[in-house]
Amino acid sequence: MGCGASNNFDFKYDVSQQWESARKTIDIKRHRNKPVIKRSGWKTVRIFVSSTFRDFHAEREVLVKEVFPDLRQWCEKRRLHLVECDLRWGVPKDTTSEETLRTCLGEIDRCYQDNIMPFFLNMTCARCGWIPNDSEVPQSVKSEYRWIGGLSVTEMEIIHGAYRKDNPNSLFAIRDTHFLESLPDEYKDDFLDSNPVAEHKLKVLKDVLSNRFQADRVFTYNCSYGGVDADTGKVSLDGLHGEFTNKVFKFFQERIAEQYPLFEGKLDVFEQEKEAHEAFMKSRCTVVLGRNEILDKIANYVTDLGTGMPLILTGGPGSGKSSIMAKAADVASQKASGGEIPGGGDVGWHVFYHFVGAIPGSTDQEMILKRLLKELKICNDSNMPKDYEGAAQLVAGVLSNPNSKPVIILVDALNQVDEEKGHGTLSWLPRKLAPQVRCIFSMINDTPPHVTLLARPHGPLEVPVTPLDVPSRKEIVLEILSNYHKKLDPEQMTCLLSKESSKNPLWLAIACEELRVFGDFSRVTEKIKSLADDLLDLLGQVLTRFEHENGGTLMIATLCLLETSSHGLLETELLSVLGGDVSLLTPSEENFSKLKKKEDSDVQPIRSQPLSAAKWAAVYRALRTFLRPFGDSGEGRLDFYHRSLSKAVRKKYFHTQDGSEREDVYAFWHMVLANFFENEQNVDRKVEEYPYHLVKVNDTDRLAKCLTEWPVFDHLFNDYYSSQLLLYWRKVGDYQCMEGHYRKILEAIDKEAFGLEEYCIRYEHIAKLLVQAGEYTVAKGYIDVALNIEEEQLGGRPERLVELFALYGELYDEISKLHDFIKKENIKDLKPCIEYFRKSVQIRETLTGDHHKYKMGISLMSLSFTLNTFFECGGDNTLDADDAQEEALEHIEKALTIFQELGDLGKEAEASMTKAILYDRGSDEQFEWYNKAYEQCEQAYGSNCKLMTRLMSNIGIFHEDKRDFHTAYEYFVKWYNVSVEVFGENHPKTTSARNCLEEPQYQRIKAAIEAGNEA
């Protein structure tokens, strides 16, 4: 392929005219302001390498194996992922011209998307490379890339990636042609261009580069023939290490540092997120057909008087909810900015929109709430809540406050937010919205947020997203295909729309895309008939096409790795896994055995070189529309955008034809990822992925080893309740097993090297974990060790003693709660609890700061509960019962005040429950405070939490005191079920709930209920 040059015309004139045409397409004459990007967390940086292929093998080898690894290591220290786009093997020979051109120029497009201006390296010497004929460049490529006829693909890369915009991130390395003198004749064909126009074209190109770009961005380097590589048979060049490697490294190091400065302080990423969501909204709201009735209902909800309830759009996957939400957000934003929405008062309405899954990080509940608080100017960087609970409580207060600024909140795909342990489902959404607050959410039917909202006393206004009618479907098909100058005839349109699944917008969009890329117009009708009339089956057909056209085994591996990952995969992670031996990425007994051998090996595995850019480009290009986009604000994590694709992947690759799961396939891919993440240095990613995969493959030995690594422990340990850490230990074995592992680790520590203070804190944390696990006897021994070290070797510091005394109090508090009945002999466990909580309160009163104020509230609340139990036991000669109750009432009021001042709704709920316990059993006041505590707990933590287990137990006891045993039984069943979820089957607290249900009267009620159900 190539146009060549004729001796019958002046090719020099043609070359000058080509560059004159290129000059007229310049967008930016001189780039005066280099981009500077503020960021938070990790960011992906791409470097595109442009050159002819055969003659630059040596340079590319040095870049890929030496320069880029060094640059990548430097980038990682700055929280940057470096991805080089090195299309060194070009594209497959059987691809069309359009595919070839789009592969080259499309990769530059990705660089623009990710980095504003591409990091671009061009290498030039004595070859032009492929110069496509006019007929080889499709009209769509000509229009999209403003193609200049007569230029080579490499020249078009330069024009698209650097020339038109005076890209400040572009560097041009010109190899001095004198090296050809040292090159043996038999190799010169690879380094010289046979095209007679080449020499002049290259001279003009080098002149253009020197005139267009600053001198520090165009340099000439020298090298010489260095023999032939015995392994590859390729020519090696001497002299590359020095001027060439140093210049490339230093240039990109400086430009990356300038564009992505390493900010030491907190970075405001919320404005970047807002812009990213706005871009997504604009991209989705252009074609929304047949949805006027739903949009009118949303408009009426916004403009009518506030009902106090949210409006929700519900529908199945692919029903078009996101497009409707985008249109609603766009209309609301425009009308709000023009003051056209009534009820906004003097300040007007603020419109907040968020599309879950649309940009990286958008599934994080905490970040959603913090961005809302920032946009409403409730918080700034200095007073932003530090965690999810604080943000959720503050948002709930804002949305229920009649004095808050009028706001319209739209959140799309609410069912896709990350539901972390301890994060209550919609705990940030108050039971009743303030009159000037509108909340519009979309979600799939019967998902947790949908169920939660329906269960509330005042349910939401629900608007179902119904299937598309035929006229709307026809408009959508016409709109999509017309963008590519394609059209169906009436018979074909009828055939397509007669399929039942065409009512689903996602099915329809995928079907149109399949028709668009289908090359044989004479067989379009046949193709339409072959489209599966089911969303998952159609996606299965698409995946089959992707396998054949875009990567085969690599495509399957990519899909399976993403499906089995816990939280998606960074692109750098995925490329590293795929860069190994492809033959090992096929599930089989032999390959699984090889993975097991790697697992059993003590040798730390060396990660593979990343998958080549050319191979990855083919896979990514096919999957791009189905993946969550990277975005300028993101870290480059890949995951499926539509859950439908996830289901289709499972159906195609993880299930048998009869629909049953193939456990061996799941195990294989989980083992691949477990081996990969075993030595991951990024603790956040290791904790997200590694234990998850070990559980899936039931590798309890490696799981135990992982959980005893201190960085992993610190990440999973929670001062209140370490639910995830304890859950993982239950997968290993029982809690005695857990204690044994931590004891070995602590006994092996070199205290001097480790630090005595840190050693003491480790004992304290393990003690607290054991208390949470219900291993109270052994936990006391750990506290004793920590207290002895603190008093005997560290000087008995008040700020540390107070924590240990509080932990002793918590230990005895938990022990006292294990008694099924309140009896006089329980006092022996209550007295040390009272003693230690009093000691902690006494020291805490001398310490300042919100941390100690919060801990004071906890100790006062626990002390109040224990004193009340002491009162019910009748007291003894050391503390009168009435004095104990009086002190309890005093402490609980102080605790309530502290938690209200701190804005901690969760702890306020616990204090409200404790206050209820202090009232006369079965009294109206007690029931009122239990109900208040329940609502606060549901709001702060959701249904499955530690506090809810106590509430269900206490409310059951209340009804028991009222002799309403059937209602009591219902609450005791809830107590047991929540305990199993939170603590596990064998925890002492779960045992207490189980013992309660096994009492004769409740066994009789259970039998009666079961008999009634059978009848």
Side-chain angles (χ1 to χ4, degrees), residues 365 369 388-389 392-393 395-396 422-431 452 456 905 936-942:
Q365 288 194 81
L369 301 183
Y388 169 82
E389 285 74 18
Q393 290 159 23
V395 168
H423 290 191
T425 302
L426 298 181
S427 61
W428 51 271
L429 186 68
R431 291 294 188 276
T452 296
R456 289 189 171 184
L905 185 63
Q936 291 171 328
C937 177
E938 181 78 19
Q939 183 79 26
Y941 301 132

Side-chain angles (χ1 to χ4, degrees), residues 756-757 760 764 785-805 839 843-844 846-847:
L756 196 58
E757 183 176 347
C760 184
E764 178 189 335
V785 171
L787 182 62
N788 180 266
I789 294 172
E790 181 60 47
E791 290 182 331
E792 298 297 327
Q793 301 180 63
L794 294 173
R797 299 161 298 171
E799 68 274 14
R800 296 306 312 150
L801 286 175
V802 71
E803 303 296 344
L804 293 170
F805 289 151
K839 280 185 178 182
I843 299 176
R844 197 80 72 179
T846 67
L847 303 172

Side-chain angles (χ1 to χ4, degrees), residues 299-333:
N300 292 336
Y301 169 77
V302 170
T303 56
D304 289 348
L305 291 175
T307 63
M309 298 176 288
L311 180 146
I312 62 173
L313 298 185
T314 56
S319 56
K321 301 182 294 298
S322 294
S323 296
I324 297 171
M325 291 290 285
K327 188 68 174 181
D330 189 41
V331 171
S333 298

Side-chain angles (χ1 to χ4, degrees), residues 113 233 259 286 353 394 418 626 628 647 757 830 979-980:
Q113 292 166 10
Q259 182 158 324
T286 52
Y353 43 83
L394 186 53
D418 294 333
F626 295 103
R628 289 177 178 169
K647 293 179 180 178
E757 183 176 347
L830 297 172
S979 295
V980 171

Side-chain angles (χ1 to χ4, degrees), residues 826-1003:
N826 296 356
I827 286 179
K828 71 178 188 306
D829 293 326
L830 297 172
K831 291 178 75 171
C833 180
I834 294 170
E835 174 192 352
Y836 282 114
F837 274 135
R838 281 175 171 170
K839 280 185 178 182
S840 71
V841 168
Q842 184 178 7
I843 299 176
R844 197 80 72 179
E845 287 174 339
T846 67
L847 303 172
T848 58
D850 284 349
H851 168 76
H852 291 294
K853 185 177 182 179
Y854 170 81
K855 288 296 188 76
M856 169 74 86
I858 293 176
S859 293
L860 288 170
M861 180 170 58
S862 299
L863 181 55
S864 175
F865 178 86
T866 306
L867 286 166
N868 182 72
T869 308
F870 195 91
F871 157 76
E872 292 189 342
C873 288
D876 68 0
N877 57 357
T878 63
L879 179 62
D880 181 74
D882 291 336
D883 291 340
Q885 188 182 42
E886 184 178 344
E887 186 181 345
L889 289 167
E890 178 184 339
H891 290 326
I892 197 58
E893 291 300 334
K894 286 182 180 178
L896 276 167
T897 301
I898 286 172
F899 294 131
Q900 288 165 358
E901 290 175 351
L902 292 174
D904 192 324
L905 185 63
K907 285 301 175 187
E908 186 182 344
E910 191 173 351
S912 296
M913 181 194 69
T914 304
K915 184 170 181 176
I917 293 170
L918 301 185
Y919 281 104
D920 291 338
R921 297 178 66 157
S923 66
D924 292 342
E925 293 87 353
Q926 186 176 60
F927 190 61
E928 177 187 347
W929 278 92
Y930 276 141
N931 280 335
K932 184 174 184 177
Y934 175 82
E935 291 183 4
Q936 291 171 328
C937 177
E938 181 78 19
Q939 183 79 26
Y941 301 132
S943 301
N944 290 328
C945 63
K946 183 179 177 181
L947 178 58
M948 190 61 78
T949 64
R950 295 178 61 195
L951 271 168
M952 294 298 95
S953 169
N954 286 323
I955 296 175
I957 292 171
F958 169 87
H959 288 290
E960 200 174 50
D961 291 338
K962 301 284 285 186
R963 314 303 291 173
D964 183 356
F965 293 107
H966 280 82
T967 303
Y969 173 77
E970 293 175 7
Y971 279 97
F972 289 150
V973 169
K974 293 177 183 177
W975 173 27
Y976 172 74
N977 290 335
V978 178
S979 295
V980 171
E981 180 71 22
V982 174
F983 302 118
E985 187 70 42
N986 299 318
H987 195 281
K989 293 179 181 293
T990 309
T991 302
S992 294
R994 188 187 305 110
N995 290 342
C996 175
L997 290 173
E998 289 175 355
E999 292 176 18
Q1001 60 187 348
Y1002 294 122
Q1003 286 292 301

Side-chain angles (χ1 to χ4, degrees), residues 281-512:
M281 174 192 74
K282 294 295 185 182
S283 71
R284 286 301 181 97
C285 69
T286 52
V287 183
V288 183
L289 303 170
R291 300 305 194 187
N292 290 340
E293 184 179 348
I294 295 176
L295 290 169
D296 288 343
K297 289 181 180 180
I298 294 175
N300 292 336
Y301 169 77
V302 170
T303 56
D304 289 348
L305 291 175
T307 63
M309 298 176 288
L311 180 146
I312 62 173
L313 298 185
T314 56
S319 56
K321 301 182 294 298
S322 294
S323 296
I324 297 171
M325 291 290 285
K327 188 68 174 181
D330 189 41
V331 171
S333 298
Q334 293 182 33
K335 290 186 176 295
S337 63
E340 300 177 42
I341 303 177
D346 296 334
V347 295
W349 290 86
H350 180 88
V351 180
F352 174 91
Y353 43 83
H354 188 97
F355 299 89
V356 178
I359 67 171
S362 58
T363 61
D364 187 326
Q365 288 194 81
E366 184 177 334
M367 291 300 290
I368 298 172
L369 301 183
K370 287 181 176 179
R371 185 166 75 86
L372 175 61
L373 292 171
K374 189 71 179 286
E375 284 196 27
L376 294 179
K377 295 181 170 59
I378 304 298
C379 296
N380 54 36
D381 291 342
S382 63
N383 61 1
M384 185 67 72
K386 291 181 172 57
D387 54 21
Y388 169 82
E389 285 74 18
Q393 290 159 23
L394 186 53
V395 168
V398 170
L399 300 187
S400 60
N401 186 348
N403 297 314
S404 295
K405 179 180 180 179
V407 61
I408 302 166
I409 299 171
L410 301 101
V411 181
D412 176 50
L414 192 59
N415 55 283
Q416 288 193 35
V417 296
D418 294 333
E419 285 290 348
E420 301 291 345
K421 284 287 185 180
H423 290 191
T425 302
L426 298 181
S427 61
W428 51 271
L429 186 68
R431 291 294 188 276
K432 187 172 184 180
L433 300 171
Q436 76 293 358
V437 174
R438 306 287 186 273
C439 288
I440 304 163
F441 308 129
S442 73
M443 61 198 70
I444 293 177
N445 307 71
D446 302 322
T447 51
H450 187 214
V451 173
T452 296
L453 287 172
L454 292 180
R456 289 189 171 184
H458 304 287
L461 301 171
E462 186 167 0
V463 178
V465 178
T466 55
L468 290 167
D469 57 28
V470 173
S472 299
R473 285 181 261 167
K474 186 174 181 179
E475 279 191 75
I476 290 173
V477 174
L478 290 171
E479 184 75 25
I480 293 174
L481 293 182
S482 66
N483 290 330
Y484 305 97
H485 308 287
K486 294 181 183 294
K487 186 178 179 180
L488 299 180
D489 64 33
E491 180 185 349
Q492 292 166 340
M493 181 71 78
T494 300
C495 181
L496 179 65
L497 301 187
S498 67
K499 292 181 181 287
E500 185 70 19
S501 295
S502 67
K503 297 177 181 178
N504 182 296
L506 179 58
W507 185 96
L508 201 57
I510 294 170
C512 287

